[in-house]
Amino acid sequence: MTAARGAGRPLLALAGGMALVVLAALAFTLLTARPSSGGTPGTDSPDAGFARDMAIHHQQAVEMSLIVRDRTDDEDVRSLAYDVINTQANQRGMLLGWLDVWRLPKSSSEPPMGWMAHDMGYSPHDGSLMPGMATNAELRRLGAAEGKAAAVLYLQLLTAHHKGGVEMAAAAADLARTDQVRRLAAGMVEGQEAEIRLMADMLAARGASPNP
């Protein structure tokens, strides 16, 4: 996949400029991340639980996007992967930064998504800790695939990943008590639902279904 790696160099060149924007946005967000009322969120609050869980969820989306970037020459898929890397890495930094500002641990012994108002009924397995997350076996398949097969599998796995993320973000938009968390969560719902629709069109154009 030498051509794919060469094509990725212009994308990587843009990362330097993007990094300055990300750092500026993160700094502003951290400075304004104090709760609007009622004090700092506790370690068992929906705000903290969402920050921890979505940081983990986002990290896998970034990982999948980094994998596919070097496995396919499909420029539309590579462009989507680049957007996911930048957007979700930025948001992950905000989530972990809030935990620092609140002086809360970044990990918890509680089950994932236990902060939500209802039981998700999801049993973690093979590295998939929350709904929508790919399993270790699926990540290995993605890492071994090439060309169109890699592009299609990425779109399928990311579609499922986004659906799980939307459900979690929608809950945080309702349950969180800090304005900043509610706004970010609502923005995630809007953004990821738009990408789900985009990926459905991309899969159809490649003669594939949404399911891996």
Side-chain angles (χ1 to χ4, degrees):
M1 299 301 296
T2 304
R5 293 191 182 93
R9 288 171 188 162
L11 298 180
L12 293 175
L14 292 173
M18 286 295 298
L20 296 177
V21 176
V22 168
L23 289 174
L26 177 57
F28 175 79
T29 302
L30 294 180
L31 289 172
T32 59
R34 299 292 183 181
S36 56
S37 62
T40 301
T43 191
D44 296 326
S45 66
D47 306 66
F50 172 71
R52 294 187 191 105
D53 288 348
M54 190 58 86
I56 294 170
H57 212 267
H58 272 16
Q59 180 59 32
Q60 190 185 73
V62 171
E63 179 184 354
M64 291 193 297
S65 299
L66 289 169
I67 291 172
V68 80
R69 191 183 57 182
D70 292 331
R71 305 304 299 174
T72 184
D73 293 324
D74 188 322
E75 287 302 325
D76 288 337
V77 171
R78 285 165 55 79
S79 178
L80 173 63
Y82 179 72
D83 287 344
V84 170
I85 290 166
N86 280 282
T87 300
Q88 298 212 9
N90 182 14
Q91 291 175 346
R92 184 174 185 271
M94 291 180 184
L95 295 165
L96 295 177
W98 285 338
L99 290 169
D100 277 338
V101 168
W102 300 332
R103 298 183 180 180
L104 298 178
K106 295 183 177 67
S107 61
S108 172
S109 60
E110 295 300 313
M113 304 177 80
W115 54 271
M116 293 176 63
H118 62 280
D119 184 5
M120 295 295 293
Y122 188 78
S123 299
H125 61 286
D126 191 27
S128 177
L129 303 178
M130 289 169 269
M133 289 186 69
T135 63
N136 292 330
E138 288 170 330
L139 292 178
R140 287 193 296 269
R141 282 180 57 203
L142 181 62
E146 293 188 6
K148 180 180 177 180
V152 166
L153 181 57
Y154 170 74
L155 293 172
Q156 292 169 331
L157 294 177
L158 190 62
T159 295
H161 201 274
H162 274 16
K163 288 179 179 177
V166 163
E167 189 168 4
M168 190 189 339
D174 288 338
L175 298 174
R177 60 186 182 86
T178 58
D179 291 339
Q180 293 82 4
V181 173
R182 288 195 299 270
R183 283 198 300 267
L184 179 61
M188 286 179 183
V189 171
E190 182 178 351
Q192 293 195 20
E193 284 183 340
E195 287 186 347
I196 289 170
R197 293 191 294 270
L198 171 64
M199 290 188 288
D201 291 341
M202 293 173 72
L203 284 165
R206 290 157 180 77
S209 73
N211 300 315

